Amino acid sequence: MDTITMQQAANYVDQEVEIFAWVTNKRSSGKIAFLQLRDGHTYFQGIVVKNDVTEEVFETAKNLSQETSIRLTGVVQVDDRSSLGYELLVKDIEVIGESHDYPITPKEHGTDFLMDHRHLWLRSSKQHAIMTIRDEIIYATYQFMRQEGFMKIDSPILTSSAPENTTELFHTEYFDEEAYLSQSGQLYAEAAAMAFGKVFTFGPTFRAEKSKTRRHLIEFWMMEPEMANYNHEQSLEVQEKYVAHLVQSVIDNCQMALKTLNRDVDLLGKYTQLPYPRIEYTDAIELLQKNGFDDVEWGDDFGSPHETFIASQYEQPIFIVNYPKTIKPFYMKVNPADPRTVLCADMIAPEGYGEIIGGSEREDDYETLKQNIIDFGLDLEPYEWYLDLRKYGSVPHSGFGIGLERAVTWISGTEHIRESSPFPRLLNRIYP
Ligand code: 4AD
Ligand code: MG
């Protein structure tokens, strides 16, 4: 007898199998018990027919409580009424671990309660679906990067430099020195790009942002590709191809998850069509002003209502390109066509999900970059190694960062980013 998960049901129709599962719910009458089960991959039904099993097995079935772990044997049957298409006709049940008074019941619970029980909430079908999509996006990233000739490199988590913004740093001690938790692996990725051509980092990043929004995590994972001898337009082409690949991979490999989440697959299909529109920052400001947003003027950064409005004019993700120099980090290269702006872009997801990618061409001239560091009020010392990259065979290069949880939230159609991380770190939450 094979041990299987119900994912493999199609290969085992009418055969007896062993399955390890947890009980999510149960109904029983005098003659039959319907068990709602999950085996870690699949949510499925087990049927226990009184006349088919020993009295002891039927008693066990009737008494199973929510989240009891069990070992089942039974026969896989076709069941056209269920979304899975199969069910298990149970022959035997052995209880492995009992479960009493499981806190998350089938009734509605508030968000705080669920977040306090995140370690258990992960077992629900919706959370399973979101984590399945997260897993797919990670896998599809490695696949795409390998196919496109990128090398995965790992950037340090303990750092002495602050690429994005010195006010959002987590400070820590590094023996006698001050250190920070990484905000971005980019600067290290740039060094690696000069060593290996095309690279990407993928790791945890930390921002002590006091933002309590549905888009912000304190700890999030970021994929950061960096390409030597790529100008910014070439980087945009990589970005859209990569995002389309992520969406297509989810469409192809996560059908059950998308169904559980009621995600509109036709809508997702539109996001695989290339190219994505490019809108100049300056034009975006004008568009906003023409549409009654009198709170923005040239030089301002966008808030989420602005991003949502601009994106709503299009059916695909869009790039807003060439932001003012003053609202972007020190490492971005000036736009020769308009030196008030830099060669950068944010990719804005449709449906109000906001920015999912930030990227730019990097300043590759030693003197200009050094001056930028000074102008931004940063100490030169922690950036000496970074400046070295411009001393020894500097080349034009570009890269970008995509927030894993932002991508998961958008592609899965989830309301709030907290559900896109298995154990989210939020402004007021580090438990569990
Ligand atoms: O725009 P950001 O700050 O860009 C960088 O960190 C660059 N160094 C990336 C690069 O060029 N290599 O962040 C990049 C992306 C954002 O577009 C967003 O998807 C995500 O990281 N992100 C967050 N995700 C969740 N919570 C937060 N607090 C985030 N901050 C940024
Ligand atoms: Mg950004």
Side-chain angles (χ1 to χ4, degrees):
M1 188 171 30
D2 286 355
T3 304
I4 69 162
T5 67
M6 278 301 265
Q7 226 177 8
Q8 301 156 273
N11 302 327
Y12 287 91
V13 175
D14 296 332
Q15 293 183 42
E16 190 158 314
V17 296
E18 176 184 62
I19 296 184
F20 291 90
W22 287 264
V23 178
T24 65
N25 210 343
K26 174 203 67 192
R27 269 176 315 117
S28 61
S29 70
K31 293 199 166 75
I32 191 159
F34 296 96
L35 309 178
Q36 302 311 316
L37 302 165
R38 57 176 189 87
D39 61 20
H41 297 273
T42 311
Y43 294 77
F44 65 100
Q45 176 163 268
I47 300 196
V48 194
V49 180
K50 188 173 180 184
N51 290 340
D52 238 24
V53 296
T54 65
E55 213 166 293
E56 197 192 335
V57 168
F58 196 69
E59 264 319 290
T60 305
K62 270 184 14 187
N63 292 321
L64 286 174
S65 51
Q66 196 185 352
E67 289 305 320
T68 300
S69 51
I70 54 181
R71 189 185 73 87
L72 297 152
T73 56
V75 176
V76 175
Q77 299 190 140
V78 172
D79 172 25
D80 293 327
R81 288 155 307 168
S82 72
S83 57
L84 180 66
Y86 303 93
E87 64 184 12
L88 189 74
L89 184 63
V90 177
K91 301 289 179 196
D92 195 14
I93 305 172
E94 180 196 325
V95 171
I96 300 173
E98 291 184 17
S99 162
H100 299 290
D101 304 318
Y102 186 68
I104 304 179
T105 58
K107 68 164 202 198
E108 288 276 315
H109 293 283
T111 303
D112 268 340
F113 179 86
L114 290 170
M115 291 300 290
D116 283 340
H117 294 85
R118 182 65 178 165
H119 51 297
L120 303 176
W121 188 24
L122 279 178
R123 302 178 184 195
S124 78
S125 56
K126 183 185 174 200
Q127 301 310 314
H128 184 276
I130 298 169
M131 288 306 130
T132 301
I133 289 172
R134 181 182 166 112
D135 177 61
E136 180 62 31
I137 290 174
I138 295 169
Y139 183 77
T141 291
Y142 280 88
Q143 205 182 29
F144 178 85
M145 292 299 160
R146 169 60 63 93
Q147 178 186 305
E148 299 287 321
F150 285 75
M151 185 192 282
K152 165 76 163 56
I153 63 114
D154 300 300
S155 51
I157 291 168
L158 290 168
T159 66
S160 54
S161 55
E164 293 309 314
N165 183 341
T166 45
T167 60
E168 292 164 4
L169 285 168
F170 275 103
H171 295 252
T172 181
E173 284 164 24
Y174 194 77
F175 306 105
D176 295 337
E177 286 178 61
E178 179 167 35
Y180 318 110
L181 299 184
S182 175
Q183 290 178 308
S184 158
Q186 177 194 320
L187 306 190
Y188 299 96
E190 286 183 58
M194 299 304 134
F196 312 118
K198 294 202 282 186
V199 300
F200 74 108
T201 70
F202 173 50
T205 48
F206 307 85
R207 309 240 172 135
E209 289 183 278
K210 294 265 161 26
S211 312
K212 201 175 178 183
T213 77
R214 64 190 186 91
R215 297 173 182 180
H216 286 91
L217 291 169
I218 302 301
E219 176 178 320
F220 64 97
W221 284 63
M222 184 154 50
M223 293 83 101
E224 294 184 273
E226 193 69 34
M227 292 104 32
N229 297 301
Y230 271 53
N231 64 28
H232 193 235
E233 179 52 36
Q234 291 170 306
S235 171
L236 295 186
E237 284 163 20
V238 175
Q239 293 176 42
E240 60 191 359
K241 194 173 169 192
Y242 170 34
V243 169
H245 175 80
L246 296 181
V247 175
Q248 190 62 54
S249 301
V250 170
I251 294 173
D252 292 344
N253 303 321
C254 303
Q255 284 109 336
M256 280 298 276
L258 292 171
K259 207 162 161 182
T260 301
L261 298 167
N262 285 318
R263 189 68 169 129
D264 183 340
V265 177
D266 293 334
L267 193 61
L268 286 182
K270 289 188 183 161
Y271 308 153
T272 63
Q273 282 156 32
L274 300 184
Y276 295 162
R278 285 119 165 98
I279 300 113
E280 289 277 335
Y281 166 89
T282 303
D283 295 336
I285 290 284
E286 264 175 43
L287 176 77
L288 289 169
Q289 287 171 342
K290 274 197 204 122
N291 284 278
F293 290 88
D294 11 285
D295 57 331
V296 281
E297 52 184 63
W298 202 98
D300 291 346
D301 206 354
F302 298 126
S304 74
H306 307 126
E307 285 177 353
T308 299
F309 179 81
I310 301 162
S312 72
Q313 308 298 299
Y314 303 88
E315 293 204 312
Q316 292 154 284
I318 57 165
F319 291 111
I320 301 180
V321 301
N322 305 339
Y323 284 73
K325 185 180 161 79
T326 46
I327 56 172
K328 289 293 180 187
F330 70 91
Y331 53 72
M332 292 189 180
K333 192 179 169 92
V334 163
N335 176 12
D338 178 357
R340 297 176 305 162
T341 66
V342 280
L343 294 172
C344 72
D346 283 358
M347 185 191 287
I348 313 294
E351 304 172 73
Y353 285 96
E355 178 195 329
I356 51 169
I357 294 185
S360 70
E361 187 161 335
R362 320 306 190 185
E363 181 52 67
D364 51 78
D365 176 68
Y366 180 85
E367 289 302 334
T368 313
L369 182 63
K370 188 173 170 188
Q371 195 55 49
N372 282 355
I373 294 172
I374 295 165
D375 292 348
F376 273 73
L378 300 166
D379 288 341
L380 278 172
E381 205 189 323
Y383 297 97
E384 265 164 23
W385 67 268
Y386 186 64
L387 282 163
D388 270 356
L389 306 175
R390 279 72 179 166
K391 265 205 242 169
Y392 308 108
S394 186
V395 294
H397 61 287
S398 303
F400 61 94
I402 172 166
L404 173 63
E405 292 82 2
R406 292 262 180 105
V408 173
T409 306
W410 163 53
I411 296 174
S412 66
T414 301
E415 180 68 21
H416 197 296
I417 197 165
R418 64 182 162 227
E419 290 182 54
S420 296
S421 167
F423 295 100
R425 299 296 170 235
L426 301 164
L427 191 52
N428 296 316
R429 177 172 294 281
I430 196 170
Y431 177 92

